[in-house]
Every structure is written in C-alpha cells, then in structure tokens.
Amino acid sequence: MSASQSAVRSRAEAVKVSRTFDWLILFALFFIILGGYHVHFMLTGGDWDFWTDWKDRRLWVTVLPIVGITFPAAVQAVLWWRYRLPFGAIVSVLGLLFGEWVNRYFNFWGWTYFPVNFVFPSQFVPGAIVLDVVLLLTNSMIITAVIGGLAYGLLFYPGNWPVMAPLHIPVEYNGMMMTLADLQGYHYVRTGTPEYIRMVEKGTLRTFGKDVAPVSAFFSGFVSIIIYFLWHFFGKWFGSTAFTQAA
Amino acid sequence: MKIIKDKVTKLSFVALLITVTAAMFYAPTASAHGEKSQAAFMRMRTIHWYDLNWSKDTVPVNDTMTVTGKFHVFAGWPETVDKPEISFLNIGIPGPVFIRAGSWIGGQLVPRSVSLELGETYEFKVLLKARRPGDWHVHSMMNVKGGGPIIGPGKWVTITGSMSNFTNPITTLTGQTIDLETWNLGNTYFWHTFWYVFGIAYVAYWARKPMFIPRIIAVDAGKADSLITPLDKKVGLAFGVAAIGIVAATMVSTNEQYPVTTPLQAGLLRGMKPIELPAPTVSVKVEDATYRVPGRAMQMTLTITNNGDSSIRLGEFNTAGVRFLDAAVHVDETGYPDDLLAEEGLTVSDNSPLAPGQTRTINVTASDAAWEVYRLADLIYDPDSRFAGLLFFTDESGNRQMVTVDAPLIPSFS
Ligand SMILES: [Cu+2]
C-alpha cells in the first residue's frame, strides 16, 4: 500500500471515520484540558475552592473567576479560530468541575472523611456559557474579553449562591455568632489548615458595607477581562504552533 | 489514518492518566503524627503542655470526650520561631475522626485565632464528639503563625460503633434544627447536576454536527463564516439568555427561601485570660546540665531554695510532654500515656523534704528511653544547645508548684 493511497474508499466511509475522530478528539480534549486546568486551579484557587468556610463575599468572589477564566480563554482561542467551534469555555469548565468532583469525592470524603457538604467545588457553568455565546455572536476577541470576561466575573457569585446560601444561615454557638459554614470549618478538624491562614472577609472594600459582594464581583470581572486577553493569546499561540506542525 | 487514530487513542489514554494523577494530586493532611520529627528545641522551648487529661479511653460514636489541661507559653521562646501572637488551639487527630464540638482557653470559646503572651500559663479544654470508629492518637496541638504546628502529647483513644449513625444536630438562629453532617447536600448535588447537564446540552448541540476535521478544512479554506448558521446563533443566544435568566431567578428565589444570611465570621481574639499562678516560692538555679548519650539520661545540678512556709520535695521533671517522676513523691493517677511517662525516671541525690528557708544543691537524673524514642536527645545537635522544661515541687499538704528551667546542655559521650 503506498502512502498516497487513501485509507477510506467511499465518501460515506470518510464521514464515518471523521465522526469517530470527532468523538475521540473531544474525549481527549476534555481530559487534557481537565488535567492542566485542574492542577492550575488547585495551585492558584486552592483553599478558596476546597472549603465552604473560605467562600466569602470578598476574596472567593474575586479570586476564583480571575484564576478560573484562564483555560477557558485559551481553549476558546484554539477551538474558535481554528475550528469555529464555540464551546471552548464550557468544555474547559465542565472538565474542571468533573475533576474537582472526583478529587473531592474520592480524596476529601472517601479518603479523609470530610463531609461532601463542606468540600464541594465551585462551578463556573453560567459564566462559561455566556463567554462562549458572546464569541459565537460577535466573532470578536475584544468584545468577548470585555463583555464575556465581565459576565464571567459577575455570574460567579450568584451562580453559586443557591448552594452557598443555606450555609450562611447564622447560628449561636456557645455564646458566639457564626454561620453554618464557619461551624463546618470548626467542627471538621483540619490539622493542616489552622484558622489563621483562612483568608476571608479581608481587603479594602469594607467601606461598601453590605454591598461588598457585587463590588467584589465587578472588580473580579474587570481583572478577568485582562486575564482573558492574556490567556486568549496564549491559546492562539499554542494552537497555531501545535496544529501547523500536525498539518 | 490508522496511525493518527492510534495516536489519538494513545493521547486519550495519556490524558486519562494525567487526569487521575491530577485528581490524586491533593488530599488534605490526614495525619498529625509529626511529634517525633519536630525539632527537639521546638517541643522543649515553645509550649509546655501539662496536667493533661483525656477523659475517656473508649468512646462510642456520637458520645463526647474532653482533652483538658494547661499550657505554659515559654518565656525563653526561640528567636527562630515567630512569637505566638496569632495562634490557634487545634487538636491533633487524623482528619475529622472526632468533630471539635468546642474548645476553650481560660473559659473563652476559641473557634478563631488568639493572641498568647510569653511567660503565661493558660488552661484549655477541647470537647470532642466521636465520629469515625477506629484507634486514634489524640494530641493536644497549637498552631502558631510563622512557627507551624506545635504538637503536644498524644494518647490512643478508641471510637466504637458505626460512622453511619453519626449525626451533628445544630439549631440555627432562625429556629431550625438541621444535621450539619448532611445539610444542604441534596441541594448541592441538584444544582451541580443541573448546571452540568445544561453545559452538556450546549456542547451536544454542536456535537450533533461534524466537528474537528471538516471544520478545520473549511477554516483553512477561508470558509469559516459558512460554518455558523443563523440558527446556530439563535440557539447560542437562547442558551446565553437562559443561563443569565436562570442565575437571576435562582438568586431571587434563594434569597426568598433564606432571607437571613450573614457573612463568614473571622478575626483575631485578643485578651485570652491566663491562669493567675501564685509567684513560685521555690527558686531554682541550674548549676550545670549534661546529657549522657550512652545512658540516655540527663543530669542536672540544681541549687534549690525554699522561700515558702512548707517543706518541699522535687516530684517531677516535664519536658516536651515527657514526664520523669520520683515515685516516692508523686505518682500519676491520670492515665497519662505510658510511652511519655517515666514513673521512676527521676533520681534525686537527696530528696528529703527541704524545710522553709533552706537551700540545698542536688543532683537530678532524668533517664528513660523516651529521650531516644521521642528524639529529644537530638537537642545536643541543635545550633543553640539548650534544654528547657518544668520542675514540679510538692509540699507537705500535696500542693504542686511549677518552676521553669532553661539552661545550656553539654553532651557527654562516655
Ligand atoms: Cu500521634
């Protein structure tokens, strides 16, 4: 068989093979992104995502979208400019969420017995959908960065609020007021995470009083815009080199 | 084609491996058994734990026990360790095998970090509720910011029963009683599943049509715009609007369902109340101290003066939680862990009662395998080879008083 000879004999067969590739590539992509994104996210977001008593109105809201928009921006750059596929961001965050759940369920609960309601991950799905849709509708990196990036930051807190609100109910415990999330952190002993390293409710936004969460979300959105540009370029650069070689 | 297919398959497999590795990348610290590996000077010259009591040896699931005692914050705190200005009273257990139902320093609840003063002694109590059956080593523990964990003595405690029976009922300020062990779990699973399915639905819309190869060919041929149809845009817009709409609606409904929520509580607790110990009436001067490596014994020459009104005897030397007792003076009845207790480990050249007003120079030997087992002897290899500990004197009516010692230590290898 010579190298120039085609491996498929008919158009129907070509379509079939192409479809097989679609699924294989999507599957591989999901797990490759998952691996890189997961490690990146654990190193940068870390404790803010591990424990409910770190998920506050200031730093959690600010930090997670900023470190979480990275891979979605890069993968979008590859999938959109090379394939015109508008699901780079959502595939990334679904990969991350899957990886985080595996980690929390098997390591935090299965191995160390922290209750799942204390260590479940945060999710980025609504923000990622909007990020993908803005790119699809505008075909513009700049508008996606500005509108999508801002939306990514803004949607994070309300998107997670339905699972967080029940843990922010106050309790009186031995003469002190705490939220249920604080109490989880106190009850379920972490020898390696003493209370003082918990970075919550710190920062200079105190002057905004009760409306601190929206202010943090806006701030996070603005920084996400910048990070989006940066990682979108990473993605473009990475995508072009890798695929030129393959072609 | 076959080769590429193999490559993709191989790549998927590698990716799967990366994933598994990444997922296993982090597990929270489960073990607290660092006590022996912690530098000897850290254990001898920072926090001295004493009068410790573990209220039970065996606890059924859902029952409670306490770890109580005192800790002395050593005045000669090492330069190399940050001062305990931000500290957290922890408990050294392998993960949440117990829940910490309460912890107090000097009667004040301490769910947060506290500020401790050098030279002071504090009373503490940790209330534990049994959660997971097994044999667990339960240590007293203090985390010091910039100093790391300072692990105190540990004792084996057995939890019996079944973890599935564990409950953690809490009454909130809104008057509801919930089980914190499982509270909000169903709600969390529901929303995460909901959004996951929502995301998959969006990807599925695009995955219905050919994806990678035909599209890259089209893009490379300059026909990228033909790949997105007006319907695609409409569907995309619908997903985007739905995502924002659902977030907004659930935000509103959540706030209606939980009208009372408060921010996380944090902040340093100051003004921990130390125990007001009466000024010691015994004064101790360390003339010299040597550690005999072959005999696993420390010898001190002490000059003791009794300034009180009752005659005294030396009953105990305590360092890093290891207790050396003179059985003729003091016998432990608290069930202190065997490996940390040398019941006859203290030999005093003349331990007859020292009458008020008198001064005597004595030779004291503290010997036990614990010096080696707990690697306290490593002290002689420290850059600043000093030892420190607590001496306990007992008077005629059985009262104990504590005197701290802190002096250079000379090793002897013969
Ligand atoms: Cu231990």
Side-chain angles (χ1 to χ4, degrees), chain B residues 271-290:
Chain B
M272 286 299 109
K273 226 176 96 206
I275 308 172
E276 296 199 11
L277 292 172
T281 58
V282 184
S283 73
V284 176
K285 183 166 176 265
V286 182
E287 304 294 346
D288 65 60
T290 54

Side-chain angles (χ1 to χ4, degrees), chain B residues 325-405:
Chain B
L325 307 185
D326 182 340
V329 181
H330 185 74
V331 175
D332 178 73
E333 279 153 4
T334 64
Y336 199 75
D338 284 339
D339 52 336
L340 295 166
L341 187 67
E343 282 157 305
E344 293 173 4
L346 195 71
T347 315
V348 183
S349 57
D350 178 2
N351 210 5
S352 57
L354 181 68
Q358 287 202 321
T359 299
R360 181 190 293 160
T361 299
I362 53 172
N363 280 310
V364 177
T365 307
S367 60
D368 192 78
W371 283 107
E372 290 297 325
V373 175
Y374 279 87
R375 293 166 64 177
L376 294 173
D378 290 1
L379 194 64
I380 56 177
Y381 304 111
D382 276 345
D384 180 13
S385 179
R386 290 177 80 84
F387 83 101
L390 310 175
L391 293 171
F392 289 90
F393 293 89
T394 307
D395 71 8
E396 285 161 50
S397 43
N399 297 321
R400 278 159 45 96
Q401 64 169 293
M402 179 193 93
V403 179
T404 59
V405 284

Side-chain angles (χ1 to χ4, degrees), chain A residues 7 17-32 34-35 38-39 42-43 50-57 79-87 90-91 94-95 97-98 101-103 105 107-109 112-117 120-123 125-126 129-130 132-133 136-137 139 155 158-159 161-163 165-174 176-192 194-196 198 200-201, chain B residues 1 4-5 8 12 15-16 18-19 22-31 86 88 90-93 95-96 98-104 108-113 131-132 141 143-145 163 168 170-174 178 180-185 187-189 191-192 195-196 198-200 202-203 206-216 219-220 224-225 227-228 232-233 236-237 239-240 243-244 247 250-251 254-255 258 260-266 269:
Chain A
V17 169
S18 162
R19 273 314 262 170
T20 311
F21 272 125
D22 276 353
W23 294 114
L24 280 174
I25 293 171
L26 190 63
F27 179 80
L29 190 73
F30 181 83
F31 283 103
I32 290 169
L34 189 165
H38 191 191
V39 171
M42 276 202 174
L43 294 177
F50 295 154
W51 320 103
T52 57
D53 69 336
W54 281 65
K55 295 179 178 173
D56 68 338
R57 306 169 304 167
L79 290 189
W80 181 253
W81 304 118
R82 301 291 299 162
Y83 301 92
R84 273 294 184 280
L85 279 170
F87 57 55
I90 189 70
V91 166
L94 290 180
L97 193 55
F98 178 78
W101 266 109
V102 168
N103 173 251
Y105 197 85
N107 288 351
F108 283 66
W109 163 243
T112 328
Y113 297 87
F114 284 105
V116 175
N117 65 356
F120 62 85
S122 321
Q123 60 93 4
V125 174
I129 290 271
V130 171
D132 278 333
V133 168
L136 162 70
L137 296 179
N139 188 27
L155 287 170
W161 184 238
V163 295
L167 295 169
H168 280 241
I169 297 174
V171 279
E172 194 220 299
Y173 200 71
N174 288 294
M176 248 188 193
M177 204 231 349
M178 307 184 190
T179 65
L180 287 172
D182 291 313
L183 200 56
Q184 288 178 309
Y186 183 53
H187 274 180
Y188 298 95
V189 177
R190 291 163 292 189
T191 47
E195 199 273 342
Y196 52 75
R198 190 163 70 119
V200 298
E201 296 292 331
Chain B
M1 280 304 235
I4 305 174
K5 201 168 169 179
V8 174
S12 318
L16 201 65
I18 293 172
T19 310
M24 294 302 148
F25 192 75
Y26 181 88
T29 335
S31 173
I86 302 176
F88 181 63
N90 213 328
I91 189 84
I93 48 176
F98 288 91
I99 64 161
R100 171 175 38 220
S103 55
W104 294 265
Q108 152 89 60
L109 186 78
V110 286
R112 307 213 208 125
S113 300
R131 179 166 176 258
R132 191 178 148 217
M141 183 171 172
N143 294 91
V144 173
K145 191 174 187 180
M163 187 167 152
N168 189 8
I170 300 290
T171 303
T172 68
L173 277 175
T174 52
I178 57 123
L180 197 56
E181 184 77 1
T182 52
W183 168 247
N184 193 38
L185 199 54
N187 181 52
T188 305
Y189 284 139
W191 283 111
H192 276 248
W195 283 112
Y196 215 96
F198 189 87
I200 287 175
Y202 178 81
V203 178
W206 299 97
R208 288 178 311 122
K209 296 187 275 186
M211 286 184 282
F212 297 97
I213 295 167
R215 293 182 84 102
I216 198 168
V219 172
D220 286 346
D225 291 338
L227 291 171
I228 302 292
D232 288 347
K233 289 194 175 190
L237 186 64
F239 267 99
I244 295 171
V247 167
T250 55
M251 175 97 184
T254 303
N255 285 340
Y258 303 99
V260 183
T261 56
T262 48
L264 297 179
Q265 303 292 303
L269 297 171

